[in-house]
Amino acid sequence: MSDARPLISYVFPIYHEEGNIDLLHERVGEAVATVDVDAEFIFVNDGSTDGSLDRLIALSERDERVVVVDLARNFGHQMAVTAGIDHARGDAVIIMDADLQDPPAVSLELIREWQDGWDVVYAQRRTRKDGAFKRATADLFYRVLGAMSTVEIPRNTGDFRLIDRAVADQLRRYGEHSRFLRGMVSEIGFKQKAVLFDRDARHSGTTGYPLRKMIRFAIDGITSFSAKPLQLISRAGLVVSFLALLGMLYAVGVRLFFPEQVVEGWTFIVTAVFLVGGLQLLLMGIIGTYIGRIYDEVKGRPLYGVQEVYRDGERRLGRRARPGRAD
Ligand code: UDP
Ligand code: MG
């Protein structure tokens, strides 16, 4: 164990949050002051066109713990968080929305669990104060994602979570462009734990996630973690081929046993249509399987992540003594 106070990096993605920044900084500042840790506040300005950047710069002049990362344009929430994690120097990183929907007090619970030895502590919503439409679409999304995804991604969690330095370093090895951070963190593994909380309503301003962005995000989430849609083609191909076989038998049967009902050339055309349709889907499924593999490879994800190495009966690599832990 060590006596040094741990450094906690808070990462806040900022897109048109001028009405929230000062209050957020104040509330989070008050919260971390009650625990025995040092903090840095990394605000990532994601191409805001309102007064957000000016507020942030003013804040960084008042508080030396504030770091402002100003992105060159709007890259989207997931990229903003990625940039924040890349600039974080803490022993642990907390990702939080800037609109005060994620209560600062909950971040203290995340820190406590981290000090108890958990590597990823994600905040899971017990309740949320969004509209009925947002709730219904979010619910549907998590259902579809759960059914399709190869890694288990916890339901009702956003990006509000704490990750240990080791996890942050592993995350930085993920170079994929369409990023679905909560899925990536699930895939990374390590010791993960949920903390339940009640999500508040947005304090000021409007959502930076209109329906268009939400759909795009949902598609990113599903396609980044599942090749199931491609496999569905193969399955559909099998079903259609089987039905086509029945259709062909029917067409040939009618031709043989009820020739008077058959229009000239009908049997050939119908058989050809069934045969070719079934074959096409089947072959597309095969191509789809290969595309799925190509996709897996081009994502270039790290092959594995090491949590600990035990050698000569000792821990040599992996977990450093976690600062500030009373053990
Ligand atoms: N955000 C961002 N870039 C964007 C959209 C949103 O950095 O293009 C930030 C936003 O400032 C907030 C967080 O991502 O801190 C979550 O966005 P928002 O609250 O608008 O989403 P919602 O809570 O409505 O899903
Ligand atoms: Mg919000």
Side-chain angles (χ1 to χ4, degrees), residues 97 99 101 202:
D97 280 1
D99 55 2
Q101 285 196 285
R202 169 175 265 281

Side-chain angles (χ1 to χ4, degrees), residues 91-141:
D91 301 298
V93 182
I94 295 180
I95 303 158
M96 235 169 114
D97 280 1
D99 55 2
L100 291 151
Q101 285 196 285
D102 302 334
V106 176
S107 71
L108 302 184
E109 283 181 56
L110 305 184
I111 295 173
R112 208 172 306 135
E113 297 292 351
W114 172 70
Q115 290 184 320
D116 275 348
W118 297 93
D119 301 301
V120 173
V121 191
Y122 53 88
Q124 192 161 33
R125 291 183 289 266
R126 185 163 34 207
T127 59
R128 64 193 292 177
K129 291 205 177 71
D130 293 302
F133 179 73
K134 176 109 185 183
R135 285 209 305 266
T137 48
D139 194 57
L140 178 70
F141 168 64

Side-chain angles (χ1 to χ4, degrees), residues 31-32 43 56 67 129 145 156 178 210 246 269 274 288-290 316:
V32 287
F43 291 88
L56 292 178
V67 177
K129 291 205 177 71
L145 184 65
N156 296 323
S178 47
L246 293 184
I269 292 176
F274 282 141
T289 310
Y290 282 95
R316 283 282 172 76

Side-chain angles (χ1 to χ4, degrees), residues 12-273:
F12 305 110
I14 301 289
Y15 182 62
H16 298 166
E17 304 284 8
E18 61 177 347
N20 295 318
I21 289 167
D22 290 314
L23 186 68
L24 174 73
H25 173 254
E26 190 185 313
R27 290 273 166 82
V28 177
E30 283 167 7
V32 287
T34 64
V35 287
D36 195 23
V37 299
D38 289 327
E40 64 174 0
F41 305 120
I42 299 178
F43 291 88
V44 182
N45 180 38
D46 186 19
S48 307
T49 52
D50 64 351
S52 294
L53 182 62
D54 295 336
R55 298 269 168 126
L56 292 178
I57 292 170
L59 208 57
S60 73
E61 282 159 5
R62 284 207 307 276
D63 180 352
E64 60 179 17
R65 298 170 298 175
V66 170
V67 177
V68 181
V69 179
D70 185 27
L71 297 186
R73 63 169 168 84
N74 178 252
F75 285 91
H77 175 213
Q78 299 289 298
M79 283 301 172
V81 172
T82 302
I85 295 171
D86 287 349
H87 285 81
R89 284 185 296 203
D91 301 298
V93 182
I94 295 180
I95 303 158
M96 235 169 114
D97 280 1
D99 55 2
L100 291 151
Q101 285 196 285
D102 302 334
V106 176
S107 71
L108 302 184
E109 283 181 56
L110 305 184
I111 295 173
R112 208 172 306 135
E113 297 292 351
W114 172 70
Q115 290 184 320
D116 275 348
W118 297 93
D119 301 301
V120 173
V121 191
Y122 53 88
Q124 192 161 33
R125 291 183 289 266
R126 185 163 34 207
T127 59
R128 64 193 292 177
K129 291 205 177 71
D130 293 302
F133 179 73
K134 176 109 185 183
R135 285 209 305 266
T137 48
D139 194 57
L140 178 70
F141 168 64
Y142 282 106
R143 251 170 232 277
V144 174
L145 184 65
M148 291 204 165
S149 169
T150 41
V151 292
E152 199 167 320
I153 300 170
R155 298 185 63 168
N156 296 323
T157 60
D159 288 315
F160 184 20
R161 59 189 60 214
L162 175 150
I163 58 176
D164 182 61
R165 169 54 43 203
V167 177
D169 287 344
Q170 182 68 358
L171 198 57
R172 295 182 64 174
R173 298 173 64 196
Y174 281 64
E176 59 209 73
H177 286 232
S178 47
R179 295 177 89 74
F180 186 65
L181 288 168
R182 57 197 78 161
M184 289 157 59
V185 171
S186 297
E187 203 202 57
I188 285 175
F190 287 82
K191 290 200 284 166
Q192 311 217 355
K193 161 133 205 210
V195 163
L196 289 176
F197 81 113
D198 300 299
R199 192 157 209 246
D200 290 331
R202 169 175 265 281
H203 169 68
S204 151
T206 52
T207 175
Y209 265 102
L211 187 62
R212 179 178 47 83
K213 272 195 191 169
M214 246 160 59
I215 291 174
R216 174 129 214 130
F217 183 59
I219 292 176
D220 271 354
I222 290 168
T223 53
S224 302
F225 285 91
S226 168
K228 284 246 169 81
L230 288 175
Q231 290 160 7
L232 285 180
I233 302 177
S234 294
R235 219 168 293 166
L238 278 180
V239 172
V240 170
S241 296
F242 178 70
L243 292 178
L245 186 71
L246 293 184
M248 274 153 56
L249 289 177
Y250 169 75
V252 173
V254 172
R255 175 78 182 81
L256 290 180
F257 302 111
F258 308 97
E260 70 284 356
Q261 292 185 11
V262 174
V263 183
E264 199 60 42
W266 177 82
T267 314
F268 177 76
I269 292 176
V270 166
T271 320
V273 167

